[in-house]
């Protein structure tokens, strides 16, 4: 065996054909799961690395995928990137990070990169497609795109997601179980689908418990810390402010807690706060934040696995949405209300 293991070396050890090894390393459904697992393990033991330059010339593929997000500085994406990158690396793909900052021209740019062959596939986390009216764009249902977490309602792209309505409902039900009746909601940027779904979960929990949502108890934020502060300030300008706040993401929840302290309120003694996302700082925050935990690494792995199936030409139900479970992490930012 030479200095650099080749596919044929793995094939000899595994007792299969070179084509089978190639398909297994691409996670093709044409190879059984047991064989794929055995070949991946042999490749790892042998420290096999694909000859990307040669393969690119032969296949006219870039061996790179795009992970496109709203804000590369948001720590929420770190674990998702880890999951995407680990799965991509096993299959011989590099991961390029795309940062749109909600700029429509940049969103179109990344789709053009995909169309022009600079990347073989895309994991999209912005919740938006570039405007179909742009002459340079030609959208097709078979584009190698997987949408993760964010929802693109008018596309047939496969989605990896959570049940935002059910997760939000569970968070608010926790506050209701503690005895809170005056519960406000700081939303995300409605009318985006994700924000609408979390708001619907809040409304369902309140409605099913027979609780009224007073005017002014739903305040629109933008997922950034500063809007959490501003929205909380507006809630406490009301004649009857809430005793609990469900916030659509952790970053805004940090801002809300900061503003509550500035106003002289203790959390959770005076006001309970629940977030959404379970960022790594939420455990270290004071008080530790009660929040909805999303399986971010698994989301990344699942999205990349779906994309590999598409790139391998699999037609096995990959267009059906994959819904992953969430967990409500109950920590120190929620308590029974004062009498």
């Amino acid at each position: 065996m030479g200095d650099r293991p080749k596919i044929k070396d793995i094939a000899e050890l595994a007792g299969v054909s070179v084509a089978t090894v190639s398909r297994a390393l691409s996670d093709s459904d044409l190879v059984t799961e047991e064989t794929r697992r055995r070949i991946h393990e042999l490749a790892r033991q042998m420290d096999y690395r694909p000859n990307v330059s040669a393969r690119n010339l032969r296949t006219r593929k870039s061996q790179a995928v795009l992970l496109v997000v709203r804000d590369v500085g948001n720590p929420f994406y770190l674990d998702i990137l880890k999951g995407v990158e680990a799965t991509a690396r096993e299959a011989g793909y590099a991961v390029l990070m795309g940062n749109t900052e909600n700029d429509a021209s940049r969103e179109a740019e990344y789709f053009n990169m995909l169309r022009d062959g600079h990347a073989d596939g895309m994991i999209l986390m912005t919740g938006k497609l570039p405007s179909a009216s742009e002459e340079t764009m030609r959208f097709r249902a078979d584009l190698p795109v997987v949408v993760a977490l964010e929802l693109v309602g008018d596309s047939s792209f496969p989605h990896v997601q959570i049940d935002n309505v059910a997760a939000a409902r569970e968070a608010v039900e926790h506050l209701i179980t503690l005895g809170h009746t005056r519960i406000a909601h700081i939303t995300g940027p409605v009318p985006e689908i994700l924000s609408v779904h979390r708001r619907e979960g809040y409304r369902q929990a309140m409605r099913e418990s027979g609780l009224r949502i007073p005017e002014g108890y739903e305040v629109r934020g933008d997922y950034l810390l500063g809007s959490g502060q501003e929205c909380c300030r507006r809630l406490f300008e009301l004649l009857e402010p809430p005793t609990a706040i469900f916030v659509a993401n952790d970053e805004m929840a940090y801002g809300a807690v900061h503003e509550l302290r500035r106003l002289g309120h203790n959390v959770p003694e005076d006001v309970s706060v629940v977030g959404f996302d379970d960022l790594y700082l939420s455990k270290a925050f004071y008080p530790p934040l009660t929040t909805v935990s999303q399986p971010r690494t698994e989301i990344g792995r699942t999205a990349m696995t779906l994309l590999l199936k598409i790139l391998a030409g699999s037609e096995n139900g990959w267009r059906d949405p994959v819904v992953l479970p969430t967990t409500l992490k109950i920590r120190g930012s929620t308590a029974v209300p004062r009498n």
Side-chain angles (χ1 to χ4, degrees), residues 279-294:
L279 300 182
Y280 70 93
L281 285 174
S282 294
K283 281 192 235 176
F285 195 72
Y286 184 78
L289 188 66
T290 295
T291 185
V292 174
S293 181
Q294 303 190 57

Side-chain angles (χ1 to χ4, degrees), residues 231-244:
C231 291
C232 184
R233 186 178 309 123
R234 288 166 58 188
L235 287 171
F236 279 80
E237 290 171 352
L238 298 172
L239 290 177
E240 191 175 41
T243 64

Side-chain angles (χ1 to χ4, degrees), residues 108 225 302:
L225 187 144
T302 303

Side-chain angles (χ1 to χ4, degrees), residues 45 52 67 71 111 135 153 171 176 189 200 235 246 273 312:
Q45 291 174 3
V52 174
L67 174 60
D71 177 9
F111 269 87
E135 291 183 6
I176 294 168
E200 179 55 29
L235 287 171
F246 167 54
V273 177

Side-chain angles (χ1 to χ4, degrees), residues 23-36:
R23 291 191 190 105
L25 292 175
S26 298
D27 284 326
S28 169
D29 285 340
L30 298 175
V31 182
T32 66
E33 184 178 349
E34 181 183 348
T35 301
R36 285 202 306 268

Side-chain angles (χ1 to χ4, degrees), residues 175-176 179-184 206 211-214 217 242-244 337:
L175 294 170
I176 294 168
H180 292 278
T181 57
R182 302 203 315 269
I183 304 169
M206 297 292 280
L211 296 177
R212 186 176 65 91
I213 301 175
Y217 265 42
T243 64

Side-chain angles (χ1 to χ4, degrees), residues 164-165 167-170 172-173 175-176 181-187 196-208 212-214 216-219 244-246:
N164 283 280
V165 175
R169 186 172 61 241
E170 183 183 10
V172 178
E173 285 170 351
L175 294 170
I176 294 168
T181 57
R182 302 203 315 269
I183 304 169
H185 177 37
I186 297 176
T187 78
V196 169
H197 283 188
R198 292 179 189 176
R199 184 184 65 182
E200 179 55 29
Y202 160 74
R203 289 178 175 178
Q204 280 186 17
M206 297 292 280
R207 185 167 60 244
E208 289 166 7
R212 186 176 65 91
I213 301 175
Y217 265 42
E218 291 181 359
V219 192
I245 309 172
F246 167 54

